[in-house]
Amino acid sequence: MLVKLYNEMAVQYRFRRIRDQDLALLRSLSISERMDHLGVPVLQIPKLVTAGRQLYQENIRTLHIVPGMKEVIARVSSQGMKSSILSSNSEVNIRQILKNNKLDGAFKEIISAKHIFGKHHSIRKVMKQWGTSPSRMIYVGDELRDIEACRKLGVPIVAVTWGYDSQHLLLSGKPDYLVNSPEELLKTLLSLT
């Protein structure tokens, strides 16, 4: 769906469209490398993010969570772990996706990261609010920038391979753990608590 939304914006803003044959290469590039490859000027990124959130919201009913994640979320919660969502997507969009998937109330809080290239600022803010140290947190992310943010703060990270970034790109960031399925994620989280 993200590719479809990007292509709609590419037509409007006259950027290079993503073709099927581009996907493998793009998944192996960082966000800044992707933007360069697609000819998107850095100064246009904030405008694209805003437009993308709007298009995302218009298409939100078609989104489903990864099969197996409901069970992971329920099990993590039953173990007494507090979980929150930190995303560059808007809180409104995230809450709607959770509601559509009958997961309202499954997370302590939902935080919309304001810094596209500085997620570590948002993670640091959460640590301060919670009064916790990096070693008492576990971050689950699907992008290289999640790994880079956690590295800056010393927060352990479990990288999941079912997001947009390729496994190879995720491994280049040297995550603490890399998992290929919700079942592996659950096993890893339970072993860390």
Side-chain angles (χ1 to χ4, degrees):
M1 177 164 146
L2 292 177
V3 172
K4 175 183 173 271
L5 296 180
Y6 169 81
N7 281 339
E8 287 179 30
M9 291 186 296
V11 169
Q12 180 181 356
Y13 295 105
R14 297 188 180 111
F15 300 135
R16 184 174 165 214
R17 292 176 51 114
I18 297 174
R19 300 167 302 166
D20 290 342
Q21 59 264 36
D22 297 327
L23 289 175
L25 171 65
L26 290 172
R27 289 188 72 222
S28 70
L29 300 175
S30 69
I31 290 177
S32 56
E33 291 169 331
R34 285 177 200 151
M35 296 298 103
D36 188 48
H37 181 78
L38 294 169
V40 177
V42 173
L43 294 175
Q44 295 292 324
I45 292 175
K47 183 193 315 182
L48 283 176
V49 168
T50 302
R53 283 181 178 164
Q54 179 62 39
L55 280 173
Y56 194 87
Q57 190 170 31
E58 291 168 10
N59 291 273
I60 213 158
R61 294 225 180 268
T62 64
L63 298 176
H64 301 284
I65 65 168
V66 172
M69 281 306 298
K70 279 188 181 183
E71 293 78 12
V72 172
I73 294 164
R75 184 75 186 275
V76 164
S77 180
S78 74
Q79 296 294 312
M81 291 183 233
K82 294 178 189 172
S83 5
S84 295
I85 294 177
L86 173 63
S87 174
S88 51
N89 205 328
S90 73
E91 182 179 347
V92 170
N93 286 349
I94 295 166
R95 287 197 185 282
Q96 188 62 52
I97 292 167
L98 292 173
K99 182 179 179 184
N100 292 350
N101 287 278
K102 297 178 177 38
L103 287 168
D104 339 40
F107 295 90
K108 179 181 177 192
E109 60 192 331
I110 297 167
I111 303 138
S112 183
K114 304 295 181 216
H115 308 279
I116 298 169
F117 292 106
K119 220 176 218 187
H120 65 283
H121 296 297
S122 299
I123 297 170
R124 184 180 292 123
K125 183 178 174 184
V126 170
M127 285 192 300
K128 189 175 180 179
Q129 285 174 341
W130 288 6
T132 193
S133 65
S135 63
R136 302 229 348 116
M137 294 181 75
I138 302 168
Y139 191 101
V140 177
D142 66 353
E143 294 183 84
L144 176 61
R145 67 189 180 120
D146 294 326
I147 298 167
E148 292 169 344
C150 288
R151 285 276 165 257
K152 288 180 181 177
L153 300 170
V155 172
I157 179 163
V158 180
V160 301
T161 59
W162 54 85
Y164 190 78
D165 287 1
S166 71
Q167 181 171 334
H168 177 75
L169 183 61
L170 294 170
L171 284 170
S172 75
K174 298 186 170 101
D176 298 294
Y177 307 92
L178 183 84
V179 299
N180 295 300
S181 69
E183 295 78 19
E184 276 186 72
L185 174 60
L186 180 59
K187 188 182 294 186
T188 302
L189 291 174
L190 293 176
S191 75
L192 295 172
T193 57

